[in-house]
Amino acid sequence: MAEQRAESTLARHADGAGGTALHQVIADVRAEVGRVIVGQDRLIDRLLVALLTANHALVEGVPGLAKTLSVSTLARTLQLSFSRVQFTPDLLPADLTGTLVFQPRDAEFHIRRGPIFANVVLADEINRAPAKVQSALLEAMQERQVSIGGETLPLPDPFIVFATQNPIEHEGTYPLPEAQLDRFMLEIHVDYPEREEERMILRRALDGSDPDVRAVSDHNQIAALRQAAARVEIDERLREYVVRLMEATRNPGRYRLGELAPLVEYGASPRASVFLARAAQAHAFVQGRDYVLPDDVKSMARDVLRHRLVLSYEAEAQAVTQTAIVERLLDGVGIP
């Protein structure tokens, strides 16, 4: 039996489309990022889900939880170009996308590309910039190109935007409208580390023992990783489960969740169905599997759904959160 397993493993390695070698790449990336980032395994997995599905993610957490370090470390591990933009109220769209600069030498205008021309862009505190800057970023996210001086320039491939928000400080911010939030596949909530994890963080900081990051893959392999993640098998029953979850956000009474009806003003759109199915596939692939389990769907449902649910005034009055609504949906909607 052991010999048969070994032969099967070798066969999958030999096959360029086989999943084992590519699963190992993801395992190596997770391990390398984990050497630098302590206690944020969930965040790292979801950053990988966004990367594998070619989608963008919103990262929310209080300052000091290694959000920026996690994104930059992932980029270095995959040898991707990285750009961080601190969003401020005086930021202009040209500061992000680029502009025309006059060169006296040849008396002509030349394009100077902005920081958005990178494989991984971290939009730090996106809600601090005015609407026109947010719109310029979101347009680039959707079209994967920008226009400067009448010329359309494609953004690099891969191109992923990770935007951060500070959930505790709202003065001087410009909250993203629901239609713009919907462009982000995931809203990832980052929590505090456990006690032992914080001890390790403190030890590294005081001893100066932060490990260096080494590259374990490159951008040329990302296309193959994305294709492998898209081929992950998702059973017809799980597809139906995704549809039922979405339907329950719009018509909770059909699933005996009538108490949620006055709390949810608008449910999730069909885009959320596609995002949840793809996120479940990528999550399964990150975990080293070629098939989706119900736990994959449930695990990703919170990140895909919570920023897409528009709650009513009654929900706000009762201090009911989107996360609490999603938890109730997961408890009440059964797998067919």
Side-chain angles (χ1 to χ4, degrees):
M1 183 64 70
E3 292 179 357
Q4 291 177 351
R5 286 199 299 268
E7 289 175 1
S8 175
T9 301
L10 289 173
R12 287 195 296 270
H13 272 283
D15 182 2
T20 303
L22 295 175
H23 284 147
Q24 187 58 49
V25 171
I26 292 296
D28 291 343
V29 170
R30 293 174 76 199
E32 187 62 26
V33 176
R35 290 178 58 245
V36 179
I37 308 299
V38 178
Q40 295 293 359
D41 294 344
R42 184 178 177 279
L43 169 62
I44 294 167
D45 285 354
R46 276 144 182 79
L47 295 179
L48 284 169
V49 166
L51 181 70
L52 290 173
T53 57
N55 282 292
H56 314 286
L58 194 63
V59 184
E60 186 170 294
V62 300
L65 295 181
K67 300 185 295 295
T68 300
L69 183 60
S70 298
V71 174
S72 62
T73 301
L74 177 63
R76 282 184 287 166
T77 303
L78 293 167
Q79 299 187 66
L80 299 175
S81 59
F82 171 74
S83 177
R84 175 184 174 273
V85 183
Q86 179 64 53
F87 278 40
T88 57
D90 61 347
L91 196 70
L92 298 174
D95 297 329
L96 180 67
T97 61
T99 188
L100 291 174
V101 177
F102 183 74
Q103 295 289 351
R105 183 182 308 170
D106 53 12
E108 290 184 358
F109 285 92
H110 294 268
I111 293 176
R112 176 176 292 173
R113 302 190 179 201
I116 201 170
F117 286 90
N119 296 124
V120 178
V121 177
L122 179 66
D124 218 350
E125 293 192 292
I126 186 175
N127 54 336
R128 289 210 171 276
K132 58 184 177 182
V133 178
Q134 296 175 0
S135 297
L137 174 65
L138 293 165
E139 181 181 2
M141 291 164 51
Q142 183 71 19
E143 305 297 334
R144 299 185 185 273
Q145 63 183 28
V146 297
S147 296
I148 303 174
E151 184 175 348
T152 300
L153 303 174
L155 293 168
D157 183 30
F159 172 69
I160 303 292
V161 172
F162 296 113
T164 69
Q165 285 194 136
N166 183 344
I168 60 175
E169 190 174 353
H170 299 289
E171 185 176 352
T173 62
Y174 303 82
L176 289 172
E178 284 75 12
Q180 294 182 347
L181 281 172
D182 196 55
R183 302 289 179 90
F184 290 96
M185 181 188 209
L186 307 174
E187 182 181 281
I188 309 167
H189 287 188
V190 185
D191 208 347
Y192 293 105
E194 298 294 334
R195 182 184 300 175
E196 186 55 40
E197 294 167 345
E198 192 154 3
R199 286 198 187 103
M200 185 178 298
I201 294 170
L202 183 61
R203 183 165 61 250
R204 286 186 179 182
L206 297 180
D207 297 345
S209 57
D210 290 335
D212 294 328
V213 181
R214 64 182 180 89
V216 298
S217 184
D218 57 46
H219 69 279
N220 295 319
Q221 204 165 27
I222 290 177
L225 290 168
R226 286 177 171 175
Q227 291 171 8
R231 289 195 300 266
V232 170
E233 179 65 28
I234 178 166
D235 186 80
E236 192 61 39
R237 292 174 58 199
L238 291 180
R239 298 184 187 200
E240 178 63 23
Y241 180 48
V242 170
V243 171
R244 292 188 179 190
L245 281 174
M246 299 307 131
E247 187 180 32
T249 68
R250 307 163 200 152
N251 189 357
R254 185 171 296 180
Y255 295 90
R256 298 181 180 179
L257 296 169
E259 72 275 10
L260 299 183
L263 303 178
V264 181
E265 192 77 26
Y266 297 102
S269 70
R271 179 185 289 169
S273 303
V274 176
F275 276 171
L276 180 53
R278 288 179 176 171
Q281 287 178 300
H283 186 266
F285 187 78
V286 168
Q287 304 304 316
R289 285 181 276 104
D290 292 321
Y291 53 90
V292 175
L293 295 175
D295 285 346
D296 295 312
V297 178
K298 293 180 179 180
S299 178
M300 297 308 305
R302 301 166 180 83
D303 305 281
V304 172
L305 283 177
R306 58 182 154 218
H307 61 296
R308 292 185 162 84
L309 300 181
V310 180
L311 302 189
S312 65
Y313 290 114
E314 184 172 342
E316 294 181 12
Q318 297 180 24
V320 177
T321 64
Q322 284 97 336
T323 300
I325 297 291
V326 176
E327 294 290 349
R328 185 69 186 91
L329 291 171
L330 292 174
D331 290 339
V333 179
I335 300 173

